[in-house]
Amino acid sequence: MLSEPMTLYKLMILYLLKQVNTALAEHRITEFFLSREYTSYFTLRQALAELCEAGLVLANSTAYGSRYTASPEGLETLSFFGKRLSREICDDMDRFLSDNMLRIENERSVRAEYRPTETKEYRVRCELSEGSTALLSLELSVPEEAQAAEICRNFPLRPDRVYRLLLNELLKRD
């Protein structure tokens, strides 16, 4: 085991990111650490911030939340120091990822984000994919930020319904 807890948490984060091999939502990282009582929320946030500051982890922040990936330097760091993680901790992380892989895949395949435009409206982008195949990419302009945020909250709850509705409407013959 490592002597400094913060170093352990950073290596654990890098391990999680390496194992999923995709961007991992911040709330999944938080869920792992807090549900198993490895550390507090504030210590975890500090570890993530320091990893990002050092360029070992890359953050992609949107209105819908942050997603993290390990940088090549982060993966290299893990290859040098990852053996310091105990087998029990690695097994715990692997179990967590296995138990949550469907949710992680769904989060990766459904995205919604918004940004302000020059015309003081909000552009909302909703995407649905399956593997590497894009099934739906939809952009909407709405006048209020609250509407944009609501669309971003709701789209991930029912992307299949939106997809079917659009297909049904666009394939109708009058």
Side-chain angles (χ1 to χ4, degrees):
M1 186 83 111
L2 299 169
S3 59
E4 186 180 334
M6 185 60 78
T7 302
L8 173 66
Y9 306 145
K10 290 176 183 178
L11 287 172
M12 290 171 70
I13 292 167
L14 288 171
Y15 183 89
L16 283 170
L17 297 177
K18 177 183 178 274
Q19 293 303 99
V20 294
N21 199 27
T22 186
L24 188 59
E26 180 178 348
H27 68 92
R28 289 286 167 225
I29 298 169
T30 303
E31 176 186 4
F32 170 75
F33 278 88
L34 298 184
S35 69
R36 284 150 173 82
E37 299 180 354
Y38 278 109
T39 190
S40 71
Y41 174 78
F42 298 107
T43 303
L44 176 61
R45 292 291 309 139
Q46 180 184 350
L48 272 169
E50 289 177 10
L51 285 167
C52 290
E53 196 173 292
L56 301 177
V57 168
L58 306 173
N60 179 19
S61 297
T62 67
Y64 197 64
S66 296
R67 302 178 65 74
Y68 295 91
T69 54
S71 70
E73 295 82 6
L75 294 174
E76 186 176 357
T77 299
L78 182 63
S79 73
F80 289 131
F81 301 107
K83 53 189 152 279
R84 295 183 181 181
L85 291 171
S86 72
R87 184 74 257 152
E88 293 81 16
I89 289 174
C90 290
D91 288 346
D92 196 22
M93 290 186 284
D94 290 340
R95 256 189 318 280
F96 172 81
L97 293 173
S98 176
D99 292 347
N100 290 282
M101 194 50 71
L102 184 58
R103 288 186 196 128
I104 292 167
E105 287 294 323
N106 284 342
E107 289 167 355
R108 185 174 72 165
S109 66
V110 179
R111 290 193 314 262
E113 59 188 27
Y114 71 90
R115 61 178 168 34
T117 66
E118 293 174 4
T119 59
K120 304 213 188 290
E121 291 185 320
Y122 293 87
R123 176 81 38 140
V124 182
R125 182 171 180 81
C126 301
E127 295 180 351
L128 173 63
S129 60
E130 188 173 282
S132 62
T133 304
L135 299 175
L136 173 68
S137 180
L138 176 68
E139 281 197 23
L140 302 165
S141 291
V142 294
E144 298 176 17
E145 185 174 13
Q147 293 171 323
E150 188 70 16
I151 291 169
C152 288
R153 272 191 298 279
N154 287 327
F155 181 72
L157 301 175
R158 50 180 84 85
D160 54 332
R161 285 179 49 194
V162 173
Y163 180 73
R164 281 196 311 271
L165 175 69
L166 282 171
L167 274 181
N168 288 338
E169 287 299 314
L170 295 172
L171 293 174
K172 277 185 183 176
R173 295 185 187 216
D174 290 328

